[in-house]
Amino acid sequence: MKRKKKALIIGCGIAGPAAAMMLKRAGCEPFVYEAQPEPDDYAGLFLNVGLNGVRVLEELGADAFIRKEGFEMRTMSFWNGKGKRLGQLVQSSGEPHGYTVKRGVLHKALREEAERQGIPIRFGCRLADIRMSGNRVEAVFRDGSADEGDFLVGCDGLHSAVRSIILPGAAQPSYTGLISFGGYARGGKVRHEPGVQHLVFGSKAFFGYLVWEDGEIYWFGNIGYPGTPTRRDLQAIPQAEWRGMIRDLYAGDAEPVPDIIRRTDTEIGVYPIYDMPSQNEWHRGLAVLAGDAIHATSPNAGQGAALALEDAMALALCIRDIENTERAFSAFQRMRRERVERIVRYSRSIGQRKHATHPVQTFFRDLMLPLFLKSASKRSHDWMYGYRLDWNRKLGGDL
């Protein structure tokens, strides 16, 4: 029997456990290492998983939770800050274009499914170094422990330690000029509308919300913010200051936006929005990068999680069908690069359009958006949501 390749996977967010499960299916022996000391299933806010990502969860047999716990995304309803509806994008039949789910719920479901499949996951393993010799790679951790394998996959996010070690000259994450903030609210007169997300071009800042059947409201906002803030910089600002600033941002907008802000009594999360410039190299030697570690995208298109899931499946296909590991990594990069970079550019362009507050800009936006929405069809984003990888199809020789 052919010896199983041992895969060292750094990071246990979305890409890490998904890659582990896919690589196990491809005949590898995966081990996952996470820097955080323990799981935090309540970290972060919420995210969208596009239909293209849900298909990967289906392939893993791990899609039931998102269909149960997630909010179906079928309709995007657009408004201006005065309360005038500008139009809708509706997908009334077939699969929704995605699901909204709490980030911690998604992490927990993927981690638990990986553990159920017998994949070892170790927490408190912060990467210190990567050493390669011959056909082996070693991960060295700050606690003095180490592990050796046949190849290593960096799934450790935007500020990837793997990337900084194997590609020290790589382009660094780029600040988009926007920050995102959001939280959860209850009460008020805003009603549940199945499958509907409301997107509001406020007079000073963008706002989005959806309402669950039990009345819980998920909401977020975006605004331009100067400098190049880190998450730590923004978290250092007291919650009282953020609440006051956010309340003032939307005070002049139509209800229910100001009321949703008033009814938020839990912590408001605040995050800078970064994405990744195009990277010429995704791998070096026996180590490769996947997910946000190599192509982080801003959240505007709701594709970050889906791209990470796609990467997991694509990488496993390449490892399964190409015996030489480094050639498999090269094939993975060729398979994925054009698509992910297109989505990164597209998502950033959406963010730039959100931040129109000049009266002339808003006049033309409100004039043209209804015309655009009328001409748009569900097929207009097929290139993004319609993407599908086929596990049963062997990769062609052109890769």
Side-chain angles (χ1 to χ4, degrees):
M1 292 179 62
K2 187 169 70 171
R3 183 181 66 85
K4 289 185 176 182
K5 291 182 178 179
K6 182 177 178 179
L8 309 180
I9 298 171
I10 310 300
C12 191
I14 296 172
M21 287 185 278
M22 280 297 183
L23 287 166
K24 181 174 182 178
R25 189 172 177 183
C28 297
E29 185 182 16
F31 291 75
V32 180
Y33 298 90
E34 167 58 43
Q36 296 302 314
E38 59 186 16
D40 185 354
D41 296 332
Y42 301 97
L45 292 172
F46 50 89
L47 50 77
N48 292 338
V49 181
L51 180 57
N52 47 312
V54 175
R55 291 193 184 103
V56 179
L57 293 176
E58 288 176 350
E59 193 69 45
L60 289 168
D63 60 308
F65 85 92
I66 202 168
R67 298 186 188 280
K68 179 182 177 182
E69 304 287 344
F71 185 96
E72 280 194 2
M73 304 303 296
R74 290 190 176 275
T75 300
M76 289 184 285
S77 188
F78 296 87
W79 307 77
N80 68 16
K82 297 177 181 178
K84 178 184 177 182
R85 187 158 74 180
L86 303 175
Q88 290 184 321
L89 280 177
V90 181
Q91 185 168 327
S92 56
S93 61
E95 286 269 43
H97 61 253
Y99 292 81
T100 298
V101 66
K102 290 183 178 179
R103 180 181 291 273
V105 169
L106 179 59
H107 286 189
K108 181 175 185 286
L110 289 170
R111 184 185 74 248
E112 289 183 346
E113 178 60 23
E115 290 174 329
R116 189 191 68 77
Q117 293 184 20
I119 296 170
I121 300 175
R122 283 186 56 198
F123 285 84
C125 295
R126 188 169 295 277
L127 188 69
D129 198 10
I130 297 171
R131 299 168 183 166
M132 300 185 211
S133 177
N135 60 355
R136 304 293 287 171
V137 58
E138 183 182 37
V140 181
F141 302 102
R142 291 188 185 179
D143 64 2
S145 65
D147 196 8
E148 187 179 79
D150 294 282
F151 64 92
L152 181 147
V153 187
C155 300
D156 50 343
L158 180 69
H159 302 292
S160 168
V162 175
R163 188 182 66 242
S164 67
I165 293 169
I166 68 168
L167 300 173
Q172 295 302 300
S174 173
Y175 178 51
T176 64
L178 297 173
I179 63 170
S180 181
F181 44 84
Y184 306 100
R186 282 190 177 273
K189 296 180 180 180
V190 59
R191 62 187 178 88
H192 166 64
E193 296 177 81
V196 179
Q197 181 181 32
H198 295 276
L199 303 171
V200 183
F201 295 96
S203 58
K204 294 181 180 179
F206 189 81
F207 191 86
Y209 71 94
L210 56 85
V211 187
W212 283 77
E213 190 173 3
D214 67 357
E216 186 175 28
I217 303 166
Y218 288 23
W219 67 267
F220 72 94
N222 300 132
I223 191 172
Y225 195 90
T228 53
T230 65
R231 183 176 174 183
R232 183 174 297 178
D233 293 335
L234 299 181
Q235 289 178 332
I237 298 172
Q239 277 281 304
E241 288 188 31
W242 283 120
R243 289 181 184 278
M245 185 200 80
I246 294 168
R247 186 176 58 247
D248 292 345
L249 277 176
Y250 299 108
D253 291 332
E255 296 292 356
V257 175
D259 189 53
I260 291 172
I261 302 299
R262 287 193 296 269
R263 292 180 180 277
T264 302
D265 55 13
T266 54
E267 183 174 344
I268 295 175
V270 187
Y271 309 91
I273 300 176
Y274 281 77
D275 59 22
M276 287 288 287
S278 174
Q279 303 286 340
N280 293 325
E281 294 180 282
W282 288 28
H283 58 96
R284 180 160 295 173
L286 298 173
V288 66
L289 296 158
D292 281 358
I294 192 61
H295 54 66
T297 181
S298 58
N300 303 301
Q303 280 290 301
L307 290 182
L309 292 166
E310 286 181 8
D311 274 4
M313 188 168 174
L315 177 61
L317 285 168
C318 292
I319 291 292
R320 182 194 69 183
D321 293 347
I322 301 170
E323 180 62 28
N324 181 278
T325 300
E326 292 186 52
R327 284 203 292 269
F329 290 166
S330 295
F332 168 66
Q333 177 176 337
R334 288 194 296 272
M335 181 190 294
R336 300 293 295 153
R337 184 178 175 186
E338 182 179 354
R339 171 171 170 78
V340 300
E341 290 183 356
R342 180 182 180 187
I343 290 176
V344 170
R345 292 192 301 269
Y346 174 70
S347 188
R348 183 180 272 242
S349 73
I350 293 174
Q352 291 167 344
R353 291 197 296 270
K354 284 179 177 178
H355 194 52
T357 55
H358 190 279
V360 175
Q361 292 175 312
T362 58
F363 171 79
F364 282 106
R365 180 201 63 214
D366 291 359
L367 179 68
M368 299 305 296
L369 185 61
L371 301 175
F372 167 78
L373 294 174
K374 284 182 180 180
S375 65
S377 71
K378 68 178 182 179
R379 294 187 178 277
S380 62
H381 288 100
D382 268 2
W383 66 273
M384 189 160 57
Y385 297 118
Y387 185 81
R388 186 189 295 270
L389 290 161
D390 185 354
W391 184 262
N392 297 317
R393 182 179 178 183
K394 188 174 176 64
L395 296 182
D398 55 334
L399 286 174

